[in-house]
Amino acid sequence: MTIRMLFTGEGTSDNGLVPHVESIASMSGTQVSVTSPDFGRLGFTGAHSVIEKLRTVRKFGDDYDLLVVHRDADRDHPQKRRNEIADAVAREWPGHPHIAVVPVRMLEAWLLLDEAGIRQVAENPNGKTKLALPKAHSVEKVADPKKLLKDTLATASGYSGRRLETFQKRFPQHRHKLLERLDPHGPVSQLPSWQAFTEDLTAAIRRV
């Protein structure tokens, strides 16, 4: 049996989570087919909220066994985001199985733990410049992990001037690559938000 999943994130670079969803399913001995729509390319540029995205997907008439919905906690408690996602599913797709993926505060906090990946994506894998990355016990307390990740990539690249400016414009692509390459058994595995993601997904797959 192949489980059909719908994955929605806050932006297209969040689709770097899809390989991790597939890997977790594989470790559970389950085959999955994951659909992650690019709402902008499909012409639905107004689909921003979770409920708008679910409503848009339902227009296509496709059916899924499990919904996987990512939203950053930002400055709110993770449970608030989980409740918001549950409410959106209840309103638009009542009774449908789903899990919420809620990084604290932002998904970029997960990526800040991967120094080797940052140096690789920064096109300077052998760079020696000190990056001063946060440790696992404090990374979820960083006020603006997205800015810190962008600045860290710039530092790791060693670029300056116009070359740095061009490099920084590719941040969404860099973020996507970092997420795809993130080692699920590395430092990120220490974070409660990552543990919740893997445990919730595994449990949901078993229920389906």
Side-chain angles (χ1 to χ4, degrees):
M1 174 186 175
T2 298
I3 294 178
R4 297 162 297 173
M5 294 187 187
L6 172 71
F7 174 84
T8 68
E10 296 189 350
T12 55
S13 63
D14 294 331
N15 291 344
L17 265 179
V18 170
H20 296 288
V21 171
E22 294 170 337
S23 177
I24 292 167
S26 178
M27 287 188 290
S28 300
T30 305
Q31 289 187 331
V32 296
S33 173
V34 184
T35 299
S36 50
D38 184 335
F39 294 96
R41 287 189 177 184
L42 291 171
F44 297 97
T45 54
H48 298 299
S49 68
V50 173
I51 196 166
E52 288 168 342
K53 290 173 181 176
L54 295 179
R55 184 174 298 139
T56 299
V57 170
R58 294 199 72 185
K59 290 178 182 178
F60 301 149
D62 295 330
D63 194 16
Y64 299 94
D65 301 304
L66 181 64
L67 312 178
V68 181
V69 183
H70 156 246
R71 277 213 61 197
D72 289 339
D74 294 320
R75 297 185 181 278
D76 290 318
H77 192 281
Q79 190 57 46
K80 180 178 179 181
R81 288 285 179 262
R82 290 173 176 273
N83 292 343
E84 289 172 355
I85 291 169
D87 289 346
V89 173
R91 288 175 58 190
E92 194 57 39
W93 226 322
H96 205 292
H98 79 280
I99 71 158
V101 184
V102 186
V104 180
R105 300 184 176 195
M106 302 175 186
L107 189 147
E108 285 81 2
W110 291 353
L111 308 181
L112 285 168
L113 297 177
D114 187 4
E115 180 174 348
I118 288 171
R119 292 191 187 276
Q120 188 72 39
V121 170
E123 303 168 1
N124 189 14
N126 299 317
K128 302 300 181 184
T129 303
K130 187 173 176 58
L131 301 182
L133 293 168
K135 301 297 184 183
H137 69 273
S138 61
V139 71
E140 292 185 321
K141 298 176 183 177
V142 174
D144 192 344
K146 179 179 286 188
K147 182 179 186 303
L148 179 57
L149 180 62
K150 188 172 184 178
D151 292 346
T152 301
L153 282 164
T155 300
S157 73
Y159 295 147
S160 61
R162 185 167 296 178
R163 196 171 184 185
L164 175 60
E165 184 178 339
T166 300
F167 173 82
Q168 288 188 304
K169 288 179 181 179
R170 300 200 302 271
F171 178 69
Q173 293 92 328
H174 297 153
R175 181 182 182 277
H176 186 278
K177 287 181 181 178
L178 277 170
L179 185 52
E180 277 190 326
R181 299 175 182 182
L182 184 64
D183 180 2
H185 306 294
V188 73
S189 65
Q190 302 174 40
L191 300 184
S193 57
W194 179 270
Q195 293 167 3
F197 161 49
T198 59
E199 291 168 6
D200 290 352
L201 180 58
T202 300
I205 288 171
R206 288 173 180 164
R207 287 195 298 271
V208 170

